[in-house]
Amino acid sequence: MKTIRDILQKESLEKQDILYLLQTKDEERKILFETSRELRDRLLGNQVYLRGLIEYSNVCNKDCYYCGIRHSNRNQKRYVLSDEEVIECAKFAYENQYGSIVIQSGERTDEIFISRISAIIREIKKLSQGNLGITLSLGEQTLETYQQWFEAGAHRYLLRIESSNKELYAKIHPSNKLHSFEKRVEALRNIRKAGFQLGTGVMIGMPFQTLDDLAEDLLFLQKIDVDMVGMGPYIEHCDTPLYAFKDTLLPKKERLELTFKMISILRIMMKDINIAATTALQAIDPMGREKAIKIGANVIMPNITPGNVRKNYKLYEDKPCTDETPGECTECLDARIQMIGSKISYNQWGDTPHFKKNRENERVF
Ligand code: SAH
Ligand code: SF4
């Protein structure tokens, strides 16, 4: 009979292996988690990189069925941070030695938005003498826009595929040109073409999603050879169409457990990439992110958005830290990471050997 030891010795995992690992329990689950942690420690060091998360705006043109800030949610008060506010956040990150930031927002593709983002990127590069790394998470854009933002100084881009199963993708999005699976994949290609380190990921425990889908998701991430991954549990939001399926969902604790297993298996499959311990983990378990670090994740994205607007960037329910100030978050984070025996690596962009190694290759998928 096949055992976990047989699987973990393999050069590369097949779908059946991944399905086996996703269902491990007790001692085998422990072995899985120890293996991924050990790999992270050996190849990337027992350390965590910080990306200060700035939630730039909750204005969004799209209508993803899972998301609380979707365009059609009339119950959501909207905001856009001023340029000065974003710069203040970036200064905070720089002064607190975060090393890098993420600018995330609802999706807009108008000229005013595009040029404001370019100007903000340039200003942040200037204030930090080029030292602060900038990741963008601003949705699907044209190749020209990605190029413009890359030239302005951003160097990493996060755009989740959400699900690599085209049929499931169609069930969690409206069916129109703004929400097409093909366009999503094309956007991922263009992000890489523009020069960015490519980040993507999926939600775990969505309505209609099966273990088979999750195994395929991991194979997809491997196939496109991503540089960084952010995967988190799906968490329902009452003002969204998917809320109607809430009674079909796995209990939140099981979605959390599945997310840990996805992170651990991904670390085994793609040993030297950046894997984030996402905020949604913390929404289910106050120690969710720390637990993800313990089993192989190596990036944390502390929220440094101004306190007064944080409650309005509500992608899902129970989003944590919505009434804290950035300073309180930094202190508590350092202590939390120490508590689990890791340490924060300050003042680093935190690029992985994976990206550096593959930088010269034209990686097409
Ligand atoms: N508009 C951009 C960035 C903001 S949304 C974009 O869509 O890429 C960032 C991520 O939040 C999404 O990719 C999605 O995976 C996650 N998200 C949205 N709603 C969620 C929910 N209900 N539960 C868990 N994650 C959610
Ligand atoms: Fe907009 Fe992103 Fe939410 Fe979709 S997931 S509705 S693009 S903010």
Side-chain angles (χ1 to χ4, degrees), residues 126-361:
K126 203 161 97 196
L127 80 87
S128 67
Q129 291 92 47
N131 285 321
L132 206 51
I134 303 178
T135 304
L136 301 178
S137 176
L138 306 171
E140 286 171 40
Q141 305 287 340
T142 62
L143 175 61
E144 291 68 35
T145 302
Y146 289 140
Q147 283 166 333
Q148 188 185 128
W149 289 342
F150 184 78
E151 275 152 29
H155 66 121
R156 293 192 276 245
Y157 204 102
L158 289 172
L159 178 71
R160 287 187 179 173
I161 187 74
E162 316 294 0
S163 169
S164 63
N165 176 340
K166 199 177 152 190
E167 280 87 50
L168 178 53
Y169 192 92
K171 286 185 187 154
I172 60 171
H173 295 98
S175 95
N176 59 33
K177 271 201 267 171
L178 252 190
H179 301 83
S180 116
F181 181 78
E182 283 74 20
K183 275 190 65 190
R184 191 72 158 190
V185 174
E186 187 58 27
L188 291 176
R189 285 202 185 96
N190 285 335
I191 288 167
R192 179 162 278 159
K193 210 184 265 176
F196 286 105
Q197 291 176 46
L198 175 63
T200 188
V202 295
M203 279 180 287
I204 297 161
M206 284 188 281
F208 323 117
Q209 194 179 38
T210 62
L211 276 191
D212 204 81
D213 290 327
L214 292 174
E216 289 288 356
D217 286 340
L218 291 176
L219 290 165
F220 173 85
L221 298 175
Q222 189 176 44
K223 184 178 98 192
I224 68 169
D225 196 28
V226 281
D227 302 299
M228 48 195 194
V229 171
M231 298 185 287
Y234 162 75
I235 302 172
E236 58 274 31
H237 186 299
C238 61
D239 291 325
T240 62
L242 282 194
Y243 196 69
F245 302 95
K246 68 175 193 313
D247 295 336
T248 67
L249 297 171
L250 287 172
K252 281 188 182 158
K253 290 270 179 245
E254 284 179 41
R255 283 177 251 164
L256 188 73
E257 171 68 10
L258 262 183
T259 306
F260 291 144
K261 286 182 177 156
M262 289 284 282
I263 289 175
S264 173
I265 300 167
L266 182 67
R267 173 62 71 209
I268 291 164
M269 293 170 70
M270 302 190 73
K271 300 177 175 42
D272 60 355
I273 63 169
N274 277 336
I275 304 180
T278 55
T279 314
L281 291 164
Q282 198 190 357
I284 297 185
D285 176 344
M287 288 297 283
R289 292 181 307 174
E290 290 76 5
K291 288 179 182 168
I293 297 294
K294 266 185 121 162
I295 54 141
N298 71 322
V299 170
I300 280 201
M301 296 156 71
N303 196 338
I304 57 167
T305 310
N308 58 331
V309 298
R310 275 199 214 180
K311 62 182 178 309
N312 292 327
Y313 197 81
K314 205 171 171 204
L315 308 172
Y316 45 82
E317 288 173 359
D318 307 323
K319 207 171 145 249
C321 271
T322 40
D323 40 42
E324 282 173 66
T325 61
E328 281 159 352
C329 272
T330 312
E331 281 162 31
C332 80
L333 198 67
D334 196 274
R336 282 156 157 258
I337 299 299
Q338 282 195 36
M339 211 158 71
I340 55 157
S342 284
K343 69 174 191 345
I344 294 177
S345 189
Y346 288 101
N347 278 327
Q348 302 291 322
W349 280 19
D351 294 340
T352 59
H354 186 85
F355 176 71
K356 289 178 195 145
K357 193 165 69 200
N358 293 306
R359 170 173 240 159
E360 312 305 330
N361 307 347

Side-chain angles (χ1 to χ4, degrees), residues 110-121:
D110 54 284
E111 265 315 310
I112 296 178
F113 178 78
I114 293 169
S115 52
R116 270 191 71 187
I117 295 291
S118 293
I120 287 171
I121 297 170

